[in-house]
Amino acid sequence: TVIRTLGLANRLEVINPDDAYEAALRAEGVPLDRKSLLDEYKPLKDRYFSAVDSGDDALAQSLEPEYLRLRALLSRNMQLFAGARRDARARQEELLASGGEFLVDGTGGNSKEILKMSGRLKEAGFEVGMIFIDVPMETSVARDRSRGERGGRHLGRQTVERSWNSVNKNKELYQNYFAENFFYIDASEGEFENSIQSAAPAVRRFLGNV
């Protein structure tokens, strides 16, 4: 929504590994709702190995096909996720080498990775900035749940909270690093539109300098 509202997709190539990841999941028929998949897999896995350990071969054999099916889906899920991230990094490298302008749409949880890439871009002569979208925890959880209900990706509260915490602990670090090129968006209810309008002039100035 922020990218669209600020008109950034018309100016910059947007790199979002989640787009390729979700498209690959759909293409291969792997469920997008990873939370439900794990909720189904974990108790079945425990039952299966309990049967194996206790020597209940009949029960183990009856559980094995579904256990293997779910395990394969989860494994393929992670393979596709890793592949999408790999492709996104490769595209960043291509644009770094060619001098192309781009925007990486991500969560911001891995500060070491972000600062390392930003440092390389600066050394190559790029102007680098960050748009930090501050979404309240419960809003993030609710959006994740809503996506799952609509048939989209669903990670579950625990994963969302872990991601949210990893992002927000980096806020001050990003503010200091990107300085005047740190653009803050308050996505809380009632503040989003005003925050977008407030940040837009600074974003336009940044784009004018790129």
Side-chain angles (χ1 to χ4, degrees):
T1 301
V2 171
I3 291 171
R4 183 178 65 253
T5 305
L6 293 175
L8 298 175
N10 298 325
R11 170 66 188 273
L12 307 170
E13 177 174 335
V14 178
I15 300 175
N16 184 346
D18 282 351
D19 291 340
Y21 172 49
E22 292 184 18
L25 290 174
R26 290 189 175 93
E28 296 197 15
V30 178
L32 275 71
D33 191 339
R34 186 170 179 269
K35 170 68 164 55
S36 295
L37 194 61
L38 281 169
D39 287 346
E40 186 178 358
Y41 172 73
K42 288 178 178 178
L44 180 62
K45 176 185 175 183
D46 291 342
R47 288 184 63 206
Y48 172 72
F49 280 103
S50 177
V52 170
D53 292 342
S54 67
D56 191 339
D57 293 339
L59 179 57
Q61 289 176 9
S62 69
L63 296 174
E64 187 173 53
E66 183 65 4
Y67 160 69
L68 293 176
R69 184 186 75 84
L70 294 174
R71 188 180 70 173
L73 286 174
L74 284 166
S75 176
R76 188 57 182 154
N77 182 301
M78 295 308 298
Q79 289 170 1
L80 293 174
F81 178 74
R85 286 180 55 82
R86 205 163 43 241
D87 292 345
R89 285 194 295 269
R91 183 56 182 156
Q92 289 182 56
E93 293 293 338
E94 291 172 358
L95 291 167
L96 188 154
S98 67
E101 300 175 349
F102 64 97
L103 181 153
V104 178
D105 183 0
T107 61
N110 190 334
S111 61
K112 290 183 179 179
E113 181 179 298
I114 289 173
L115 298 189
K116 179 180 178 181
M117 187 61 177
S118 296
R120 291 184 60 207
L121 287 164
K122 288 181 177 181
E123 289 175 3
F126 283 79
E127 187 84 9
V128 182
M130 171 178 278
I131 300 174
F132 187 97
I133 307 170
D134 196 351
V135 183
M137 168 78 81
E138 288 306 317
T139 300
S140 298
V141 171
R143 288 177 179 175
D144 174 67
R145 183 173 59 250
S146 179
R147 279 195 302 270
E149 291 169 352
R150 297 194 307 269
R153 286 180 64 203
H154 176 44
L155 303 176
R157 173 178 282 273
Q158 184 177 3
T159 300
V160 172
E161 288 185 352
R162 184 168 61 247
S163 177
W164 190 93
N165 286 323
S166 69
V167 172
N168 280 270
K169 74 178 182 181
N170 294 327
K171 179 182 174 182
E172 185 175 352
L173 172 66
Y174 294 145
Q175 283 179 306
N176 293 332
Y177 180 85
F178 291 100
E180 70 273 10
N181 291 339
F182 179 86
F183 311 110
Y184 177 81
I185 304 294
D186 184 347
S188 59
E189 187 175 355
E191 297 296 330
F192 180 69
E193 294 298 332
N194 289 335
S195 188
I196 284 283
Q197 292 177 15
S198 176
V203 172
R204 285 195 292 270
R205 284 196 296 273
F206 169 79
L207 292 174
N209 293 330
V210 174

